[in-house]
C-alpha cells in the first residue's frame, strides 16, 4: 500500500485495480486513480464492490458536497451525477435541475437506469411530449408509461370538464328562461 501511495502512473494503478490478487490492494490502487475519463470507464467495467467505489469517487469529483448541486448548470454533468448516485433525493434533485426539455425526454425514454427515467418523466409537463413519451415507453417501462398515462388522462378529464362547462354557459346564454332555472 505504501508503494501505491507513491505511484503516479495511472496505467500501473489501473493494472493493479484489475489484476492484483488482494482486494485491499485493488481498492487502494483505485483510490489513487484521479482521471475523470478513467474513472468513468472503471465505473462501467469493474465488478462490485470496486464498481461502487469508482462511482463514489467520480461522484465526489463532480459534486464534492450535495449542497453544491444548485451551482451546477451543465445538463450533462447533472445527468452524470444522477447516474452515479444511489441517494434518491440527490438523483431527483439533479434530474429536476436539468433545464432542457429535450434532454429530459431523452433521459425518460432511454436512460439505462429506471430511476433516472422516472425522475426525468416527472419533470415533463407538456401534454404533447407526455403523449410521445407514453408511446415510447409502452411495453418498455411500466413506471414511466403509467406516470404519462395518468397525467394525460388527468389533462383530458380537465379538458372535458371545461368543454362541458362552456356548453352549459352557452346553453344558458341562448335560452334566457334556463337562467331562472339555473338560479333556482
Amino acid at each position: 500500500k505504501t508503494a501505491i501511495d507513491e505511484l503516479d502512473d495511472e496505467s500501473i494503478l489501473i493494472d493493479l485495480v484489475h489484476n492484483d490478487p488482494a482486494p485491499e490492494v485493488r481498492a487502494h490502487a483505485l483510490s489513487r486513480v484521479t482521471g475523470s475519463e478513467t474513472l468513468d470507464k472503471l465505473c462501467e467495467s469493474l465488478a462490485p464492490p470496486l464498481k461502487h467505489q469508482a462511482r463514489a469517487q467520480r461522484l465526489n469529483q463532480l459534486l464534492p458536497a450535495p449542497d453544491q448541486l444548485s451551482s451546477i448548470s451543465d445538463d450533462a454533468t447533472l445527468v452524470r451525477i444522477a447516474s452515479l448516485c444511489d441517494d434518491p433525493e440527490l438523483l431527483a434533485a439533479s434530474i429536476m435541475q436539468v433545464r432542457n426539455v429535450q434532454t429530459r425526454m431523452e433521459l425518460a425514454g432511454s436512460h439505462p437506469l429506471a430511476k433516472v427515467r422516472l425522475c426525468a418523466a416527472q419533470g415533463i409537463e407538456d401534454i404533447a411530449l407526455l403523449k410521445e413519451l407514453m408511446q415510447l415507453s409502452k411495453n418498455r417501462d411500466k413506471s414511466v408509461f403509467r406516470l404519462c398515462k395518468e397525467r394525460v388522462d388527468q389533462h383530458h378529464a380537465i379538458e372535458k370538464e371545461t368543454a362541458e362547462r362552456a356548453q352549459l354557459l352557452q346553453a344558458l346564454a341562448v335560452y334566457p328562461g334556463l337562467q331562472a332555472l339555473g338560479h333556482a
Side-chain angles (χ1 to χ4, degrees), residues 58-110:
R58 184 65 178 118
L59 181 59
N60 194 45
Q61 283 180 339
L62 294 169
L63 187 66
D67 63 346
Q68 294 178 340
L69 184 64
S70 61
S71 67
I72 298 173
S73 59
D74 178 52
D75 285 350
T77 301
L78 292 165
V79 169
R80 187 65 181 140
I81 288 169
S83 66
L84 290 170
C85 72
D86 293 323
D87 176 6
E89 289 180 24
L90 179 59
L91 182 144
S94 61
I95 293 298
M96 294 311 264
Q97 197 168 315
V98 171
R99 290 170 181 82
N100 186 305
V101 176
Q102 193 56 40
T103 301
R104 283 184 187 223
M105 279 292 289
E106 290 169 14
L107 289 172
S110 63

Side-chain angles (χ1 to χ4, degrees), residues 39-45 51 54-55 58 80 84:
L39 279 172
D40 279 337
K41 288 176 187 174
L42 291 171
C43 286
E44 305 307 319
S45 66
K51 182 177 198 159
R55 290 167 50 101
R58 184 65 178 118
R80 187 65 181 140
L84 290 170

Side-chain angles (χ1 to χ4, degrees), residues 157-177:
I158 291 170
E159 279 184 334
K160 183 179 177 184
E161 184 180 310
T162 302
E164 288 172 354
R165 187 175 294 132
Q167 280 182 327
L168 180 60
L169 289 173
Q170 187 178 19
L172 289 173
V174 173
Y175 300 104

